[in-house]
Amino acid sequence: MGLLVLVLVPNREAVATGFLGVIAVLGWVFVGTYAYRNRWRDTDGGRVVMQLMLCLTVICTQGMLTILTDYQYPAREVIRPLLLLGIALAVLDLLLTMVRLQNLQRGERR
């Protein structure tokens, strides 16, 4: 469906903006549903999934805010790098958690 939209809609910028908006909305639905329906705090995996999804959702929301305000909202030059740093740290935490859990599983199998 997304590729069809990309082919049929001549304004690529509008398509990209639409996809960004959809990602932001779906991200907030995921974060809210995951927070409400799951015990995500109980496991390392649950915490890193929530952390990463929250960071990705916030950066997509920030992107939509940037587009909707024509790049003119206050403190954008500070907020944007901080959000990108948050995503980098969340991905690093995801990687470290994965390696630690894999090492624990290998130790249990021996």
Side-chain angles (χ1 to χ4, degrees):
M1 178 72 169
L3 289 177
L4 183 62
V5 169
L6 191 57
V7 170
L8 295 177
V9 177
N11 185 340
R12 302 284 194 265
E13 207 54 41
V15 171
T17 299
F19 288 159
L20 184 63
V22 168
I23 293 167
V25 169
L26 291 175
W28 284 116
V29 170
F30 177 88
V31 166
T33 303
Y34 195 57
Y36 179 73
R37 297 182 67 161
N38 295 79
R39 295 175 54 155
W40 59 272
R41 290 180 193 91
D42 293 349
T43 65
D44 292 334
R47 286 189 295 276
V48 296
V49 166
M50 178 60 92
Q51 177 181 335
L52 184 58
M53 281 304 301
L54 187 58
C55 286
L56 290 172
T57 300
V58 169
I59 197 74
C60 288
T61 302
Q62 181 269 340
M64 285 303 301
L65 181 62
T66 297
I67 291 166
L68 293 173
T69 64
D70 199 25
Y71 299 81
Q72 298 301 317
Y73 65 89
R76 178 181 181 273
E77 67 281 352
V78 174
I79 293 170
R80 185 171 177 264
L82 288 175
L83 293 176
L84 292 170
L85 174 63
I87 290 175
L89 293 174
V91 172
L92 177 62
D93 190 28
L94 178 67
L95 176 64
L96 294 174
T97 299
M98 178 191 69
V99 169
R100 186 173 46 77
L101 292 175
Q102 286 174 339
N103 288 340
L104 284 173
Q105 288 177 344
R106 285 191 183 117
E108 291 173 3
R109 285 187 238 154
R110 292 181 185 167

